[in-house]
Amino acid sequence: MPRNLTLFTFAAAARAGNYDERPMLPDTLDLQIHLSKNDRPQPFHLICQHDTVLMVMSGEGRVEYHDASVNRHSYEVGDHLYVPAGVPHRIVPASESIIYRYKLPETELEGLAWYCESCGTELYREVFELSAELPQEAYPRIVRAFNADVARRTCKSCGAVHPEIELAPFRWSEVAKELKAEDKEPAPSHS
């Protein structure tokens, strides 16, 4: 899907999947928005290097935070939710939600974290460099590593074992291939 300055959000969302985090604007701009259409809880807490803003285009639900002064914030259409840098957070939709995430293009790091559903203790965290891999490449790699190691999924405080994450509902590998193909396409001329 080629990127340009004109966006048709709901047409693009019809092709989007759960937590695709697909960049929508040309890379030459000072800010990037990432589109996702979500119908299930985010399977991890995302950690962004810089402050981000979530803009809700449709749906309702909540964002859960860890290590923050707020534990959760409900959202509905038209809401803009500020997420401070470094705060682990995950989107939990109550209905199908179309969400844009504003990110700075100079972001170098992102991370994923999981927390015990019983006591809230951090189970596992991994940070990755955006210069080395796309988020859509890192997400399935890190989720597979989390799934493969029962020690990572076991709470050291209460002993609860977090279930494996089902990868089938997520299109990350497909999105990564599409984004890499876009990078190889010549830039559109405006003459």
Side-chain angles (χ1 to χ4, degrees), residues 21 42 44-48 87-89 101 110-112 139:
E21 294 284 327
Q42 196 166 11
F44 47 73
H45 286 73
L46 182 64
I47 306 162
C48 298
V87 172
H89 60 285
R101 178 187 303 275
E110 279 192 8
L112 309 184
Y139 297 165

Side-chain angles (χ1 to χ4, degrees), residues 1-3 177-188:
M1 176 170 38
R3 294 185 248 165
K177 287 177 189 170
E178 291 170 3
L179 292 173
K180 286 187 173 222
E182 283 178 19
D183 284 345
K184 294 177 183 172
E185 293 175 6

Side-chain angles (χ1 to χ4, degrees), residues 46-132:
L46 182 64
I47 306 162
C48 298
Q49 177 183 9
H50 297 289
D51 299 346
T52 63
V53 174
L54 302 174
M55 181 174 71
V56 181
M57 301 299 292
S58 73
E60 58 186 28
R62 69 182 185 277
V63 177
E64 297 175 347
Y65 304 93
H66 267 273
D67 307 325
S69 59
V70 175
N71 292 332
R72 72 190 55 78
H73 191 281
S74 297
Y75 69 78
E76 61 186 27
V77 175
D79 282 352
H80 290 71
L81 288 83
Y82 167 74
V83 181
V87 172
H89 60 285
R90 77 176 190 149
I91 300 168
V92 182
S95 63
E96 185 176 84
S97 300
I98 297 171
I99 295 179
Y100 279 122
R101 178 187 303 275
Y102 290 81
K103 289 184 187 177
L104 293 173
E106 61 267 18
T107 299
E108 297 174 354
L109 301 171
E110 279 192 8
L112 309 184
W114 285 268
Y115 295 86
C116 178
E117 296 289 334
S118 299
C119 71
T121 298
E122 184 174 304
L123 300 175
Y124 179 67
R125 175 184 299 224
E126 185 169 332
V127 175
F128 60 95
E129 292 185 34
L130 294 168
S131 63

Side-chain angles (χ1 to χ4, degrees), residues 129-179:
E129 292 185 34
L130 294 168
S131 63
E133 62 186 330
L134 294 169
Q136 296 83 357
E137 294 172 315
Y139 297 165
R141 176 184 60 75
I142 297 169
V143 169
R144 283 187 191 97
F146 179 73
N147 284 347
D149 188 349
V150 73
R152 289 179 179 169
R153 296 185 290 111
T154 302
C155 180
K156 291 171 182 45
S157 294
C158 72
V161 178
H162 191 291
E164 291 185 17
I165 307 298
E166 175 60 46
L167 283 167
F170 306 101
R171 307 177 38 236
W172 296 316
S173 296
E174 179 183 334
V175 172
K177 287 177 189 170
E178 291 170 3
L179 292 173

